[in-house]
Amino acid sequence: MTASFDYSGYRVLVTGGSNGIGLAIARAFREAGAKVAITGTRADARDYGEDLAGFAYRRVQMEEAGEVDGLIAATGALDVLVNNAGTAIRAPDAFTPEGFARNIEINLNSVYRLCLGLRERLTARPGSIVNIASMTSYVSSPRVPGYGASKAAILQLTKTLGALYAPDRIRVNAIAPGWVETNLTTGVQAAPELSDPIVARTPMDRWGKPEEMAGTALYLASDQLAGFVTGVTIPVDGGFSSN
Ligand SMILES: NC(=O)c1ccc[n+]([C@@H]2O[C@H](COP(=O)([O-])OP(=O)(O)OC[C@H]3O[C@@H](n4cnc5c(N)ncnc54)[C@H](OP(=O)(O)O)[C@@H]3O)[C@@H](O)[C@H]2O)c1
């Protein structure tokens, strides 16, 4: 799949690369020749069932500003930053101000902190930031209000940073995945009353796979292919958002 991309010599950081969409994106960059660093919430890369050998690994809780700052301090020159780490704070906490704020901290504030802190690190060659938005960037998310608010803001922040960082030759774009089979969505996958309406609204009539997000990340990060693309969010959703 990644045979046509050449990221040899590129340094890529994928937050939340220990699982799901982030891991698929991290693997695709590595297969294309990049040196890839990832983060996760566990102490050690060997604490995961997945084989993470071959990635530089660091534990970072995105709700801890000090840990995010530690990641920034530990990161050298960078070519691509993929802001993928994220979660959904669910009921009952989802409906408290504290749970809402925590979801914003994890999914949004940490992204801004990383974009700000790594800006100068991304200027060695035309740099690229790829954020991960969501269908809830566009539609309501009544079960997880903080999650939806954070993802809507990611879409807006992507536009703003696209404009703000353009003079530095850093492009900022996002992917809005449709419904993808990962740990984050196991509960929804297992509940037909939640999953069936999703599949029914998806013209391609199925859930997406993490690997299906990777090609768009590699495209967006490519200065050769996407050198005039900034500030946009691309849905990769089997048609969900068009239906
Ligand atoms: N799956 C979908 O349908 C879907 C749709 C739209 C958008 N997204 C977005 O895609 C991104 C990846 O999600 P995924 O579906 O691949 O879920 P996932 O498999 O659960 O992976 C989430 C990643 O983020 C990390 N993470 C979770 N909470 C964190 C925290 N508080 N601090 C630091 N890292 C944290 C996880 O670390 P551990 O591995 O240690 O848990 C993992 O690496 C998220 O931003 C999510 O919102 C997913």
Side-chain angles (χ1 to χ4, degrees):
M1 193 273 286
T2 56
S4 52
F5 288 96
D6 182 7
Y7 277 98
S8 308
Y10 276 66
R11 296 142 304 183
V12 178
L13 170 61
V14 182
T15 68
S18 53
N19 257 311
I21 293 169
L23 179 56
I25 291 173
R27 281 185 173 140
F29 272 111
R30 194 179 57 184
E31 283 165 19
K35 194 175 159 202
V36 182
I38 62 171
T39 73
T41 63
R42 300 188 189 171
D44 194 282
R46 286 165 298 189
D47 297 337
Y48 290 94
E50 302 281 358
D51 179 11
L52 301 181
F55 299 114
Y57 176 83
R58 186 180 177 94
R59 176 192 180 276
V60 182
Q61 288 290 152
M62 292 296 167
E63 60 272 54
E64 299 295 334
E67 292 191 19
V68 179
D69 284 342
L71 171 64
I72 292 167
T75 302
L78 200 61
D79 302 300
V80 180
L81 166 64
V82 181
N83 284 310
N84 164 83
T87 195
I89 306 290
R90 299 196 168 81
D93 292 353
F95 301 101
T96 66
E98 293 74 21
F100 185 93
R102 184 158 173 263
N103 220 153
I104 298 288
E105 196 61 42
I106 295 168
N107 291 7
L108 177 64
N109 293 353
S110 71
V111 170
Y112 186 63
R113 189 173 282 272
L114 284 167
C115 288
L116 218 55
L118 292 172
R119 180 177 184 172
E120 286 177 9
R121 247 59 71 76
L122 281 158
T123 55
R125 61 177 114 207
S128 174
I129 297 173
V130 179
N131 296 323
I132 306 297
S134 164
M135 290 301 102
T136 64
S137 301
Y138 309 105
V139 303
S140 70
S141 59
R143 295 172 67 244
V144 284
Y147 181 84
S150 71
K151 292 300 182 178
I154 285 290
L155 190 149
Q156 210 286 336
L157 184 64
T158 298
K159 292 181 184 178
T160 291
L161 291 181
L164 203 57
Y165 286 11
D168 293 339
R169 302 191 310 162
I170 301 170
R171 295 178 302 101
V172 186
N173 295 291
I175 296 169
W179 294 84
V180 182
E181 292 166 348
T182 67
N183 290 345
L184 187 67
T185 55
T186 46
V188 181
Q189 291 171 53
E193 70 278 15
L194 299 175
S195 179
D196 290 354
I198 288 167
V199 174
R201 186 179 158 171
T202 304
M204 297 194 74
D205 203 29
R206 64 175 175 84
W207 282 67
K209 301 193 179 310
E211 299 74 31
E212 292 177 309
M213 307 300 119
T216 305
L218 269 64
Y219 158 72
L220 286 172
S222 165
D223 205 54
Q224 194 183 5
L225 297 176
F228 200 48
V229 179
T230 199
V232 304
T233 295
I234 300 181
V236 183
D237 64 351
F240 183 97
S241 61
S242 65
N243 206 16

